[in-house]
């Protein structure tokens, strides 16, 4: 999976891959719904009956890679961290999958623009709208205040516990130091740890294969917020707002 994303990054594509492909199944089911509704209203087939089934099957075929890529993005960009939007997306994509299969079965029984069939298409559209909405929640996480930051804090906490805590328990020697004053100096410090005078430090370097930029961002936020909390002895931290990207 890492190889796949590194390959994309080499090609100049460093975004999640799930969002672009979502438009295919969404577009297909929305088209089916609109034609179904209109046919119901004018009481005439606006789309040849077999077309509904074919479009629904196409939507189902594209839904599979869409779900798979969504899962991969979640593992890669969010480190498989559970959050409310992620749970909703899992549930809704399951519902969408079942509804689509029901629609295809109905189409097979020659129900293409009956009230029942159109209701199923409508429920599909509601499901994809919900999926889109909560996808947006995930994407804009980190550009909002409290809740989004808490996500990157929990990722940062995990990374810290694994990579830093063995040598820096309780943020010792980390919080409040010069490299933490801004993100760029923190990132270059992680990649090549040096003392302020340029001489090397007895600390291992964390290259991009060991610690990706997105993890360094989460780490940076975690250390700064947690460091402030420790400094003010347990008082609630003042949460810095601002985008997740440096
Ligand atoms: C194998 C041990 C080791 C690991 C793992 C390690 N460090 Fe260090 N780190 C050190 C040593 C040694 C120093 C320098 C001596 C000191 O802190 O007193 C240091 C210093 C630092 C400093 C202070 C630099 C300065 O200018 O004062 C920061 C910040 C830092 N480490 C961050 C991290 C972070 C973040 C991680 C995890 C990604 C990490 N370190 C993992 C050993 C380690």
């Amino acid at each position: 999976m890492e190889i796949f994303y590194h390959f994309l990054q080499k090609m100049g594509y460093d975004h999640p891959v799930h969002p672009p492909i979502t438009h295919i199944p969404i577009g297909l089911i929305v088209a089916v719904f609109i034609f179904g509704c209109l046919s119901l209203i004018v009481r005439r087939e606006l789309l040849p009956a077999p077309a509904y089934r074919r479009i629904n099957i196409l939507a189902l075929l594209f839904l599979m890679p869409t779900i798979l890529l969504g899962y991969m993005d979640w593992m890669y960009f969010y480190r498989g961290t559970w959050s409310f939007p992620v749970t909703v997306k899992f549930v809704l994509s399951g519902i969408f999958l079942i509804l689509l299969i029901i629609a295809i079965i109905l189409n097979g029984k020659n129900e293409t623009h009956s009230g029942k069939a159109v209701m199923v298409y409508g429920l599909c559209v509601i499901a994809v709208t919900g999926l889109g909405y909560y996808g947006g929640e995930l994407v804009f996480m980190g550009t909002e205040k409290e809740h989004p930051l808490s996500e990157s804090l929990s990722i940062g906490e995990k990374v810290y516990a694994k990579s830093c805590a063995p040598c820096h328990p309780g943020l010792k020697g980390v919080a409040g130091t010069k490299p933490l004053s801004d993100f760029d100096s923190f990132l270059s410090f992680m990649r090549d740890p040096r003392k302020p005078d340029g001489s090397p430090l007895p600390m291992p370097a964390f290259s991009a294969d060991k610690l990706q930029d997105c993890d360094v961002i989460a780490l940076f936020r975690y250390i700064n917020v947690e460091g402030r909390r420790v400094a003010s002895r347990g008082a609630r931290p003042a949460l810095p707002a601002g985008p997740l990207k440096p």
Side-chain angles (χ1 to χ4, degrees), residues 7-211:
F7 172 73
L8 287 181
Q9 278 160 16
K10 286 227 172 67
M11 309 269 292
Y13 186 92
D14 55 6
H15 290 262
V17 284
H18 169 76
I21 196 177
T22 54
H23 299 99
I24 302 174
I26 293 176
L28 290 168
I29 192 63
V30 168
V32 163
F33 177 61
I34 290 174
F35 276 107
C37 277
L38 291 179
S39 305
L40 204 60
I41 293 167
V42 302
R43 298 181 180 285
R44 191 160 60 84
E45 279 189 20
L46 291 177
L47 207 62
Y52 288 93
R53 188 179 163 89
R54 287 181 199 145
I55 299 176
N56 281 330
I57 289 175
L58 208 57
L60 185 69
L61 289 181
F62 275 100
L63 186 60
M64 304 299 174
T66 306
I67 292 177
L68 177 71
L69 291 175
Y71 178 78
M72 284 168 62
D73 278 349
W74 176 56
M75 293 308 282
Y76 184 80
F77 288 97
Y78 295 86
R79 291 277 165 267
T81 307
W82 282 103
S83 60
F84 180 67
V86 171
T87 313
V88 174
K89 291 204 69 148
F90 267 99
V91 172
L92 280 182
S93 52
I95 293 176
F96 182 31
L97 188 72
I98 294 167
L99 284 171
L100 210 47
I101 292 171
I102 295 175
I104 292 169
I105 294 171
L106 282 177
N107 296 157
K109 292 181 180 158
N110 266 336
E111 293 217 35
T112 54
H113 59 277
S114 64
K116 204 170 22 169
V118 172
M119 195 184 77
V120 175
Y121 308 151
L123 291 174
C124 285
V125 171
I126 293 173
V128 293
T129 308
L131 282 165
Y133 179 83
Y134 284 99
E137 289 268 292
L138 280 175
V139 170
F140 290 109
M141 211 157 81
T143 57
E144 282 296 322
K145 288 158 256 81
E146 190 145 2
H147 161 75
L149 180 67
S150 67
E151 304 297 336
S152 86
L153 289 183
S154 77
I155 298 172
E157 187 176 9
K158 274 190 209 159
V159 177
Y160 190 89
K162 188 166 151 256
S163 308
C164 324
C167 296
H168 299 286
L171 301 184
K172 221 172 115 239
V174 178
T177 57
K178 189 125 193 308
L180 276 145
S181 52
D182 68 282
F183 180 76
D184 285 337
S185 38
F186 182 60
L187 184 65
S188 49
F189 176 82
M190 282 292 99
R191 299 297 183 230
D192 180 22
R194 288 178 184 280
K195 287 182 192 158
D197 63 7
S199 55
L201 265 183
M203 170 174 148
F206 289 85
S207 61
D209 336 321
K210 280 198 237 158
L211 209 61

